[in-house]
């Protein structure tokens, strides 16, 4: 800056006049152009910020849930009339009626049928199961009256977190004035609390937003990614080794080269159709299973890994190769004992980046039926499963307001994993980077 | 026996073979007093002989079981459960036994081993070809089936898309209409909007980053911008559907224009946002590759920086930038999740960005998610659409490569 200022100053001294209009115009154009570039960057950064803000502000509350304190009487008549304390009997008892009694006791002046129904729906549909688990854990509860904490339903949860506003007209909100009155009564008695939602991380999908969790999707993602890794990593590294170290330069290897570059640009949904046709219709592998998802994603990730591995192998200097060969190693010994170990950090970096793309991929998995609603935690490669991004897609489609929060929460977890994976790649690169 | 235990058992068997092989090699070498290869090579040799015959058998088996066979599913089930594992294990044992017997001072194992390794390497590198062949054939097969039911001309030029085929023949709209033009137009519209967002933003940020920014600015901002490329598309889809779509709708309400919440505009803008880093980092590399001597010459003639960029650098970098844009277009055409979540399913033939349109990828998802029999025109249509998608994106990529390679200005 100082340079140009000085030169224009000295020039004006020489010529004894101000800047010409043309020069002023060009200076202005220069400034405009620079500002334009900066604006573009600022807009792009702002878009990113808006994206993150909108996800975080919608999603952080998914990590908490609303619990309500109720004084519940675990009546022996209802739970275990025979007094046998057998697990089957305890399991089968009607905890719903215990819950209803507790609610009726809390709000004795509610009497009409429809009001009662509304009252009984305040706790989550899973609340009765929570009571059951308490009894199964500690059968001594039977016959006592204790204050317990149960999960509230999703509407109450949304209201408590402030996503449903009080000042909206009653007809426009999911939670009615009367329910708000009950909520306030419980709240004033100290019965409403916001607690850490461990269920979100430990349970599978559910139709009830307050019961839904991402553990099932995380386990599914794990099995899928493991399959992807087990296939794409060895195959990718082997083809990179062949193409870099052994392949003669002929038509055949040319075709392979062009092919790999082209495959990297094929839309992901086409890989999904390939998986559908090949693995489901021809090979008859199970639908919705991580093994099929993993195979499909492996074919997709393969070009990324091959390209990265080749670059990394190429970076190993020839002096290493010549030294090994000079000591009498065979070509394969040279590759497997010297070149491959030296290029491993680079290969790992590329693999992690490829896998992190695979982790975020959704479209091909829709094609092979991984969009099913699955409650159970998958126990293996052949069990029906879903993965994190597909879970996000499924929840984003759900009509309940509370699922917006869950979706954003799941996205936050997904982004967290991606950040960890990319950080790992960066650390690997930093730690093992070597300039020859 | 199911697959996983079988594989584990086979591997265990081969480990035992490895152990026996290396042990016997030591013994033979000691007994004969002759120099031999290293014992572990003999172990590997034996293990390879334990693995290869079962592998060949498994491939053969898979090829046979894929072929369409008549009935007798029960028998083949039994065969699969009992006979196949027995054959596998038998062949493995036989291979191990024979190869252990062959161990002698004259046996040269390394050559054989290296040949096997090389074969495996070649096989691995051909998987990419098999993948391509698999894609082309699976698409082609179903596409041909589809064109048996729907004429090609109707598919490529028809203006009406409603793939719902009725269950009964006498229902209204029982035949379905498969004119894909609305889908092509919808895809084109959304891609255009995306490019309107991505090209100026991406290109201008690349120019600023290479020509104006300080090293520190570049080092911080560039990785942040590249985060945009690493975000899963399903996240963009959610953002487009829930934040941007609603925002545009409310904005339209405020100024009195009718904008649907699943507008092409919302999907296109968010897709453009996703593509920004794609264009910016590709153009960045290309602009960086323009030699400094060109810039210096331009400055020496008295041009300002912006004049240099516009009149010297951009023309020099143009082929590369065009290539980058073509790649970005092909990516936008193939993008699925954003449009599935933020654009509609209704096939409107319109160029109005404020209305809802549908795209090729959306329809593929719509046609294939859910249960349906595999020979209806409805399902097959998805494969025909995918074929079109595949051809278009692939040709765009090839053109991009050719443009970059052929028209790149070579200085130096």
């Amino acid at each position: 800056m100082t340079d140009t200022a000085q030169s224009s100053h000295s020039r004006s001294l020489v010529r004894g006049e101000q800047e010409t209009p043309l020069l002023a115009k060009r200076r202005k154009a220069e400034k405009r152009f620079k500002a334009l570039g900066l604006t573009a960057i600022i807009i792009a950064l702002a878009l990113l910020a808006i994206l993150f803000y909108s996800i975080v502000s919608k999603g952080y509350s998914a990590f908490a849930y609303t619990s309500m304190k109720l004084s519940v009487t675990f009546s022996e008549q209802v739970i275990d009339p025979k007094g046998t304390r057998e697990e089957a009997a305890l399991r089968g008892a009607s905890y719903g009626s215990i819950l209803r009694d507790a609610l009726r006791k809390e709000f004795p002046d509610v009497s009409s049928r429809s009001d009662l129904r509304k009252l009984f729906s305040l706790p989550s549909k899973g609340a009765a199961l929570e009571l059951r688990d308490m009894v199964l854990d500690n059968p001594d509860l039977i016959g006592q009256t204790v204050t317990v904490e149960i999960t509230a339903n999703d509407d109450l949860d949304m209201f408590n977190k402030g996503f449903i506003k009080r000042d909206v007209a009653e007809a426009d909100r999911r939670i009615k004035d009367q329910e708000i009155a009950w909520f306030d009564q419980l709240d004033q008695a100290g019965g409403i609390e916001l607690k850490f939602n461990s269920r979100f991380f430990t349970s599978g999908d559910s139709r009830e937003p307050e019961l839904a969790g991402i553990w099932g999707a995380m386990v599914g993602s794990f099995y899928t990614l493991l399959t992807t890794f087990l296939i794409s990593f060895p195959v990718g590294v082997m083809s990179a080794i062949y193409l870099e170290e052994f392949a003669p330069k002929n038509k055949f290897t040319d075709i392979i080269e062009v092919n790999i570059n082209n495959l990297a640009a094929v839309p992901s949904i086409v890989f999904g159709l390939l998986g559908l046709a090949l693995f489901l219709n021809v090979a008859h592998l199970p639908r919705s299973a991580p093994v099929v998802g993993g195979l499909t994603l492996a074919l997709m990730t393969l070009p990324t890994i091959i390209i990265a591995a080749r670059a990394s192998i190429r970076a190993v200097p020839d002096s290493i190769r010549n030294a090994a060969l000079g000591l009498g190693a065979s070509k394969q010994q040279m590759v497997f004992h010297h070149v491959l170990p030296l290029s491993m950090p680079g290969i790992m970096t590329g693999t992690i980046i490829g896998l992190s793309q695979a982790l975020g991929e959704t479209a091909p998995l829709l094609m092979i039926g991984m969009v099913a609603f699955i409650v159970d935690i998958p126990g293996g490669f052949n069990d029906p499963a879903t993965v994190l991004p597909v879970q996000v897609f499924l929840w984003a489609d759900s009509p309940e307001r509370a699922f917006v929060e869950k979706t954003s929460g799941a996205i936050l977890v997904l982004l967290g994993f991606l950040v960890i994976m990319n950080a790992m790649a960066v650390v690997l690169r930093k730690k093992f980077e070597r300039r020859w | 026996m199911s697959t996983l235990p079988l594989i584990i058992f086979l591997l265990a068997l081969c480990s035992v073979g490895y152990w026996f092989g290396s042990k016997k090699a030591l013994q033979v070498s000691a007994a004969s007093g002759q120099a031999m290869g290293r014992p572990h090579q003999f172990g590997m040799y034996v293990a390879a002989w334990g693995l290869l015959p079962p592998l060949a058998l498994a491939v053969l088996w898979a090829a046979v079981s894929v072929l369409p066979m008549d009935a007798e599913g029960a028998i083949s089930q039994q065969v699969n459960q009992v006979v196949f594992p027995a054959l596998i294990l038998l062949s493995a044992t036989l291979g191990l036994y024979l190869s252990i017997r062959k161990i002698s001072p004259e046996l040269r194992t390394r050559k054989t081993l290296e040949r096997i390794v090389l074969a495996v390497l070649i096989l691995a590198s051909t998987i990419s070809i098999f993948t391509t062949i698999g894609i082309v054939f699976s698409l082609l097969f179903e596409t041909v089936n589809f064109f048996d039911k729907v004429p090609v001309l109707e598919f490529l030029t028809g203006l009406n898309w409603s793939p719902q085929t009725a269950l009964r023949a006498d229902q209204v709209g029982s035949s379905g209409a498969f004119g894909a033009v609305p889908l092509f137009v919808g895809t084109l519209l959304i891609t255009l909007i995306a490019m309107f967002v991505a090209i100026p933003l991406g290109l201008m940020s690349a120019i600023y980053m290479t020509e104006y920014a300080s090293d520190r600015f570049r080092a911080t901002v560039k990785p942040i911008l590249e985060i945009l490329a690493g975000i899963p598309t399903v996240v963009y889809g959610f953002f487009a559907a829930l934040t941007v779509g609603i925002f545009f709708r409310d904005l339209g309400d405020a100024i009195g224009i009718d904008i649907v919440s699943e507008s092409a505009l919302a999907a296109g803008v968010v897709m453009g946002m996703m593509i920004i880093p794609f264009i910016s980092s590709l153009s960045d590399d290309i602009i960086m590759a323009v030699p400094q001597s060109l810039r210096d010459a331009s400055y020496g003639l008295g041009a300002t920086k912006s004049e240099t960029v516009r009149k010297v650098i951009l023309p020099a970098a143009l082929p590369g930038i065009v290539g980058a844009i073509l790649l970005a277009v092909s990516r936008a055409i193939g993008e699925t999740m954003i449009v599935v979540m933020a654009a509609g399913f209704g096939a409107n033939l319109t160029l109005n960005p404020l209305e809802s349109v549908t795209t090729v990828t959306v329809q593929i998802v719509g046609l294939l998610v859910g249960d349906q029999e595999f020979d209806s025109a409805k399902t097959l249509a998805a494969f025909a659409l995918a074929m079109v998608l595949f051809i278009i994106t692939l040709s765009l990529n090839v053109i991009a490569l050719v443009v970059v390679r052929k028209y790149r200005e070579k200085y130096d």
Side-chain angles (χ1 to χ4, degrees):
Chain A
M1 277 321 266
T2 47
D3 278 359
T4 49
Q6 242 169 20
S7 66
S8 76
H9 178 65
S10 58
R11 190 164 48 214
S12 63
L13 271 184
V14 171
R15 298 174 69 182
E17 57 187 16
Q18 289 298 305
E19 285 184 342
T20 59
L22 180 65
L23 195 57
K25 207 173 136 200
R26 288 174 62 198
R27 287 253 159 78
K28 248 187 220 149
E30 172 72 24
K31 256 189 202 145
R32 262 204 314 273
F33 193 75
K34 192 176 171 185
L36 217 59
L38 197 57
T39 318
I41 290 180
I42 289 171
I43 291 178
L45 291 180
L47 286 175
L48 183 68
I50 293 171
L51 172 72
F52 272 105
Y53 173 75
S54 105
I55 303 279
V56 172
S57 67
K58 279 187 192 123
Y60 74 94
S61 58
F63 304 129
Y65 78 101
T66 303
S67 82
M68 42 200 272
K69 263 194 200 118
L70 272 183
S71 155
V72 175
T73 308
F74 291 96
S75 139
E76 182 152 12
Q77 258 110 52
V78 179
I79 302 174
D80 193 14
K82 291 187 198 131
T84 56
R85 298 288 189 271
E86 272 172 16
E87 207 190 311
L90 298 187
R91 231 172 237 291
S94 164
Y95 293 94
S97 68
I98 295 179
L99 187 63
R100 284 195 288 276
D101 287 343
L103 281 164
R104 212 175 298 197
K105 211 168 65 191
E106 193 79 37
F107 302 99
D109 45 342
V110 179
S111 58
S112 90
R113 239 161 180 274
S114 65
D115 284 355
L116 275 175
R117 196 178 314 129
K118 243 187 239 159
L119 178 64
F120 294 155
S121 72
L122 286 187
S124 156
K125 288 211 173 101
L129 296 180
E130 289 178 352
L131 292 181
R132 186 192 73 188
D133 290 342
M134 284 177 208
V135 172
L136 286 176
D137 278 352
N138 178 14
D140 294 343
L141 281 176
I142 297 171
Q144 293 185 39
T145 300
V146 255
T147 306
V148 298
E149 284 176 346
I150 53 173
T151 307
N153 80 1
D154 53 323
D155 287 337
L156 216 55
D157 186 39
M158 286 292 103
F159 179 73
N160 186 31
K161 288 170 180 166
F163 288 115
I164 298 178
K165 300 265 187 304
R166 252 169 228 268
D167 48 15
V168 177
E170 192 182 358
D172 292 341
R173 62 178 133 76
R174 296 255 311 168
I175 183 163
K176 303 300 172 205
D177 285 348
Q178 191 174 25
E179 290 165 280
I180 293 180
W182 290 331
F183 174 87
D184 288 342
Q185 193 182 331
L186 275 175
D187 199 14
Q188 265 147 31
I192 299 284
E193 248 184 289
L194 214 52
K195 301 178 81 180
F196 177 68
N197 190 357
S198 60
R199 182 167 11 216
F200 185 66
F201 296 100
T202 56
S203 70
D205 198 5
S206 168
R207 297 262 184 242
E208 308 298 326
E210 72 275 12
L211 302 179
I214 54 169
W215 183 240
M218 276 165 70
V219 173
S221 275
F222 170 76
Y223 282 123
T224 309
L225 271 193
L226 191 62
T227 316
T228 307
F229 173 75
L230 287 180
I231 291 168
S232 62
F233 179 70
V235 174
V237 173
M238 285 194 294
S239 20
I241 290 175
Y242 178 71
L243 291 175
E244 271 311 307
E245 298 287 346
F246 296 103
K249 200 79 191 114
N250 59 23
K251 264 260 159 64
F252 179 65
T253 47
D254 267 357
I255 292 175
I256 296 182
E257 288 233 38
V258 174
N259 225 302
I260 289 169
N261 288 330
N262 266 337
L263 271 185
V266 170
S268 62
I269 193 170
V270 173
F271 280 98
L273 287 167
L274 172 70
L276 173 66
L278 206 63
F279 301 132
L280 295 187
N281 287 347
V282 176
H284 299 294
L285 290 170
R287 246 176 109 81
S288 311
V291 61
V292 181
L295 281 168
T296 310
L297 292 181
L299 294 183
M300 227 185 82
T301 323
L302 207 51
T304 316
I305 294 184
I306 294 178
I307 291 168
R310 289 189 67 175
S312 181
I313 291 173
R314 209 175 305 139
V316 176
D318 272 342
S319 56
I320 304 273
R321 292 186 181 84
N322 294 335
L325 292 177
L327 286 175
S330 74
K331 199 157 183 205
Q332 285 196 11
Q333 284 169 333
M334 173 269 277
V335 170
F336 287 104
H337 296 177
H338 302 275
V339 176
L340 192 59
L342 285 173
S343 55
M344 220 36 179
I347 296 177
M348 287 311 294
T349 316
T351 307
I352 293 173
I353 288 171
L355 285 182
S356 79
Q357 279 168 8
L359 174 63
E361 200 52 70
T362 321
L365 301 181
L366 300 186
M367 298 290 96
I368 54 159
M370 285 189 104
V371 272
F373 169 74
I374 288 152
V375 179
D376 297 328
I377 312 294
F381 293 95
N382 287 324
D383 288 357
T386 190
V387 296
L388 269 178
V390 177
Q391 186 73 74
V392 167
F393 174 64
L394 281 172
W395 281 350
D397 243 11
S398 301
E400 284 96 342
R401 172 65 183 81
F403 269 122
V404 171
E405 175 199 82
K406 299 285 162 194
T407 313
S408 308
I411 288 176
L412 287 178
V413 174
L414 179 62
L415 291 179
F417 277 113
L418 288 177
V419 167
I420 291 172
M421 286 174 89
N422 284 310
M424 246 157 64
V426 170
V427 168
L428 263 180
R429 193 179 302 160
K430 279 260 152 66
K431 188 157 180 209
F432 293 104
E433 193 172 50
R434 194 194 295 230
R435 294 212 177 262
W436 301 97
Chain B
M1 209 191 267
S2 58
T3 329
L4 199 63
L6 185 65
I7 291 174
I8 291 173
F9 193 74
L10 192 63
L11 288 179
L13 205 63
C14 288
S15 317
V16 174
Y18 174 86
W19 184 72
F20 264 111
S22 40
K23 213 169 157 193
K24 177 149 185 225
L26 272 179
Q27 283 170 356
V28 169
S29 150
S32 67
Q34 271 177 285
M36 282 170 65
R38 315 248 317 267
H40 81 89
Q41 280 179 356
F42 287 90
M44 296 276 272
Y45 177 78
V46 172
W49 274 114
L51 272 181
L52 286 181
L55 212 64
L57 208 64
V59 170
L60 206 70
W61 195 267
V64 169
S65 63
V66 160
L67 294 176
M69 268 189 292
D70 298 326
E72 286 152 68
I75 293 173
S76 76
Q77 181 83 9
Q78 218 171 26
V79 168
N80 262 327
Q81 294 287 318
V82 182
V83 178
F84 176 60
L87 274 179
I88 290 265
L89 293 182
L90 192 72
S91 63
T93 328
L94 209 66
L96 290 177
Y97 174 72
L98 288 179
S99 58
I100 290 179
R101 267 192 47 176
K102 258 177 81 179
I103 291 179
S104 70
E106 286 77 40
L107 184 67
R108 294 283 170 266
T109 51
R110 207 190 69 196
K111 267 245 159 75
T112 324
L113 270 181
E114 294 202 339
R115 233 175 252 152
I116 294 173
V117 170
L118 195 64
V120 172
L121 292 182
I122 293 176
L123 205 69
S125 61
T126 50
I127 285 189
S128 73
I129 292 195
F130 286 129
T131 308
T132 313
I133 294 176
I135 289 176
V136 170
F137 268 83
S138 59
L139 295 184
L140 203 65
F141 208 65
E142 311 289 3
T143 307
V144 168
N145 278 347
F146 174 70
F147 287 136
D148 275 349
K149 300 179 194 234
V150 177
V152 184
L153 212 62
E154 187 199 325
F155 178 71
L156 290 179
T157 59
L159 301 182
N160 193 5
W161 177 266
S162 69
Q164 279 311 327
T165 40
L167 296 173
R168 294 193 320 271
D170 56 334
Q171 265 174 318
V172 183
S174 58
S175 57
F178 292 97
V181 171
L183 314 186
F184 300 148
V185 172
T187 309
L188 193 73
L189 179 63
I190 289 187
T191 305
L192 264 178
I193 297 171
M195 290 303 129
F196 263 114
V197 174
I199 293 175
L201 287 180
L203 204 52
M204 283 313 290
S205 20
I207 290 172
Y208 187 86
M209 217 75 99
T210 47
E211 301 296 318
Y212 291 98
S214 66
D215 282 349
R216 244 183 74 197
F217 183 86
R218 197 178 144 84
T220 28
V221 172
K222 210 179 167 202
I224 296 179
L225 270 187
E226 269 160 15
I227 292 178
L228 280 171
I231 294 174
T233 52
V234 68
V235 177
Y236 281 114
F238 179 68
F239 178 63
L242 245 86
T243 307
V244 181
I246 307 274
F247 170 74
F248 281 142
R249 191 195 59 197
D250 293 348
L251 193 73
D253 281 350
I255 57 177
I257 307 174
D258 204 19
I259 303 179
V260 294
S261 55
E262 290 194 326
S263 63
L265 188 64
V269 165
V270 173
M271 196 192 279
M273 182 177 158
M274 178 193 87
I275 292 175
I276 291 173
F278 198 73
I279 291 190
S280 75
S281 32
L282 279 176
S283 325
D284 195 310
D285 294 344
I286 294 155
I287 294 173
M288 281 296 225
V290 174
Q292 186 61 32
S293 57
L294 285 188
R295 293 185 182 86
D296 292 342
S298 170
Y299 297 148
L301 289 172
T304 63
K305 250 190 178 168
S306 66
E307 285 162 353
T308 309
V309 168
R310 271 178 300 183
K311 305 219 164 107
V312 177
I313 296 178
L314 281 187
L318 198 61
I321 290 173
V322 170
I325 290 174
L326 285 180
L327 286 179
V329 168
S330 102
R331 182 165 269 213
I333 290 176
E335 172 48 43
T336 311
M337 292 321 292
I338 295 178
V339 282
V340 165
M341 293 169 85
F345 272 95
N348 286 334
L349 186 57
T350 174
L351 278 175
N352 182 355
L354 307 181
E355 277 185 52
S356 121
V357 295
T358 192
T359 69
V360 174
T361 48
V362 169
Q363 289 304 316
I364 295 175
V365 171
L367 293 171
L368 283 184
V369 172
D371 293 316
Q372 55 262 129
E373 71 281 38
F374 227 79
D375 49 0
S376 75
K378 189 182 160 190
T379 346
L380 295 176
F383 285 87
L385 286 177
M387 191 79 196
V388 173
L389 187 69
F390 181 72
I391 292 172
I392 292 178
T393 51
L394 214 55
S395 16
L396 276 175
N397 289 317
V398 171
I399 293 172
L401 282 182
V402 170
V403 165
V404 171
R405 235 182 243 171
K406 188 161 180 193
Y407 297 100
R408 183 167 45 199
E409 312 268 339
K410 288 211 180 78
Y411 308 97
D412 298 328

